[in-house]
Amino acid sequence: MKVLVIGAGGREHALAYKLNESKIVEQVYVIPGNAAMEPVAEIHTEIAESDHNRIIQFVLEHKIDWVVIGPEQPLIDGLTDKLQNKGIKVFGPNQQAAQIEGSKLFAKKLMEKYNIPTADYKEVQNKADAKSYVKTCELPVVIKKDGLAAGKGVIIADTREAALSAIEQMYGPDEEGMIVFESFLEGEEFSLMTFVNGDYAVPFDCIAQDHKRAYDNDEGPNTGGMGAYCPVSHISEDVLKRTNKEIAQPIAKAMFDEGYQFFGLLYIGAILTTDGPKVIEFNARFGDPEAQVLLSRMNSDLMQHIIDLEHKAPIQFEWKPQTYVGVMLASKGYPDAYEKGHEVTGFELNDNFFVSGLTTENSKFVTSGGRVILAMGNGNTVEEAQQQAYKNAEKINSDNLFYRHDIANKALK
């Protein structure tokens, strides 16, 4: 079987690594990929992930059996639909179903209609109404820009001044545009990946915990994720069962009943409140960096799971007993302005490192993105895994990277 992965980041690096392990996969290709994936896949950096026509041509010429779409943008842009129209099998929802991530308002209205637990919300259509709302709203308030924002379109404002600043930042010079305000939820967050095929939903029985804020102690702006670990053993099995019963199964059925044919991976970003688990966000694909730690811990065959999902057959996950911790190294300044082109050395091309934002220039790896490389560690305890992850992070040499020093600390309390 030949499989093509779409995307160039650390999530896609992990997908390529895992699919390459499959006994039923003969060859893994990645478009566009990055040079660090070369040990596990044939990469084609000459094709952009936005060039749908060239991707379709490549799939047909190479007789690809399955396309696995990693990032959100190709899903929102309808790549799945175009491939499926050519009779090509795709792991990743079509354009209509991908709205669950592409529009915050779409997701909130769907949850409201089907009584899926989430924060109360208010939508506004323009800057003037947004400014008016924050003069009297409860604080803190969560402000989300509708549409995709690479994990950075959420601001938690503790003061009215901060809320007004967030509005100015989100609108810029524009006066019109959708913003969703949400009540702030207190609790511990966790990420639950769920295989979905129509009304058939199979949540992973191992969850991960992401670290969204840029700096230690959950300070600083939201990012695309500065590290993750799994399993999250201090969040109980009962919480996972309740999340499945009250969120995973109902949202799959809701989309199915509304006529949205979702086939792929639904990411449930949840928070455990005093009232039980509630939804913070949905994504229409694997989380990043959650994919890196979850797929590293997964012992069963990802490709076989995808085929079983296609046939709505039982899916039995197998997991390694170890804990996995991933620490993201990012360009200084991220998630705001940052420089590119800084050389990075010291890492090996193996499963201790998953590359998000590196390219090659003159046979050297240099930074090409905000989040650059994830250093992985595993061990029999959280402490061991954490120590190994930070040892691997320390191997990486660059004059322009930073990372958090408290990834997985919540599991140590």
Side-chain angles (χ1 to χ4, degrees), residues 3 5 15-22 25 28 68 302-303 306:
V3 180
V5 176
L15 283 166
Y17 217 102
K18 186 63 184 170
L19 291 165
N20 186 59
E21 288 181 348
S22 173
V25 174
V28 179
V68 176
L302 176 63
M303 193 66 237
I306 292 172

Side-chain angles (χ1 to χ4, degrees), residues 55-57 59-60 64-67 80-91:
I55 291 171
I56 292 166
Q57 183 183 357
V59 168
L60 295 173
I64 302 294
D65 297 286
W66 276 91
V67 177
T80 295
D81 307 65
K82 294 171 187 175
L83 288 164
Q84 288 176 337
N85 288 340
K86 298 289 185 181
I88 299 158
K89 291 185 177 183
V90 185
F91 181 73

Side-chain angles (χ1 to χ4, degrees), residues 94-326:
N94 62 25
Q95 194 169 27
Q96 272 201 322
Q99 288 180 89
I100 194 77
E101 175 171 7
S103 170
K104 308 287 191 301
L105 187 60
F106 174 89
K108 295 300 281 190
K109 286 188 171 179
L110 198 61
M111 286 186 278
E112 184 177 44
K113 181 175 179 179
Y114 288 88
N115 296 312
I116 295 168
T118 187
D120 293 335
Y121 75 99
K122 177 178 177 59
E123 60 182 283
V124 299
Q125 305 282 350
N126 58 67
K127 188 190 283 189
D129 287 349
K131 285 182 172 181
S132 176
Y133 178 73
V134 299
K135 288 177 182 175
T136 56
C137 71
E138 264 189 51
L139 296 172
V141 64
V142 181
I143 307 170
K144 296 182 176 181
K145 190 170 186 176
D146 200 44
L148 297 180
K152 294 170 282 186
V154 179
I155 294 174
I156 300 168
D158 295 308
T159 65
R160 302 205 190 280
E161 292 76 16
L164 286 168
S165 175
I167 290 165
E168 289 294 345
Q169 180 182 327
M170 287 186 177
Y171 277 99
D174 300 328
E175 294 296 326
E176 302 293 321
M178 176 76 67
I179 276 184
V180 177
F181 292 95
E182 289 186 8
S183 301
F184 179 75
L185 296 176
E186 291 273 7
E188 189 159 1
E189 296 183 28
F190 61 95
S191 306
L192 177 62
M193 308 298 145
T194 306
F195 285 133
V196 176
N197 180 2
D199 58 353
Y200 178 60
V202 184
F204 284 25
D205 50 13
C206 172
I207 60 172
Q209 192 168 68
D210 188 14
H211 296 65
K212 285 288 185 195
R213 297 297 189 103
Y215 310 126
D216 291 0
N217 304 313
D218 289 331
E219 294 180 358
N222 266 353
T223 71
M226 292 298 294
Y229 69 95
C230 72
V232 187
S233 52
H234 60 282
I235 292 180
S236 72
E237 189 69 29
D238 287 344
V239 171
L240 298 196
K241 287 179 180 174
R242 189 170 170 185
T243 307
N244 180 32
K245 181 182 177 183
E246 297 178 10
I247 298 171
Q249 300 302 327
I251 193 63
K253 188 173 187 305
M255 285 191 289
F256 182 78
D257 288 350
E258 293 289 319
Y260 301 107
Q261 294 299 316
F262 193 106
F263 177 80
L265 193 288
L266 180 69
Y267 167 114
I268 300 171
I271 185 166
L272 181 55
T273 72
T274 52
D275 297 325
K278 294 187 177 185
V279 176
I280 295 176
E281 64 174 348
F282 291 119
N283 293 328
R285 38 70 192 183
F286 275 100
D288 182 341
E290 294 99 329
Q292 291 91 306
V293 293
L294 285 165
L295 294 175
S296 293
R297 187 170 185 255
M298 184 183 284
N299 214 20
S300 43
D301 189 322
L302 176 63
M303 193 66 237
Q304 186 61 57
H305 290 332
I306 292 172
I307 291 167
D308 290 340
L309 180 67
E310 180 194 20
H311 297 112
K312 296 188 177 180
I315 294 174
Q316 298 294 329
F317 297 102
E318 294 173 17
W319 304 97
K320 298 165 189 170
Q322 291 88 358
T323 292
Y324 282 75
V325 174

Side-chain angles (χ1 to χ4, degrees), residues 44-55:
H44 287 270
T45 54
E46 76 280 4
I47 305 175
E49 70 180 42
S50 58
D51 193 342
H52 295 182
N53 290 334
R54 285 194 72 188
I55 291 171

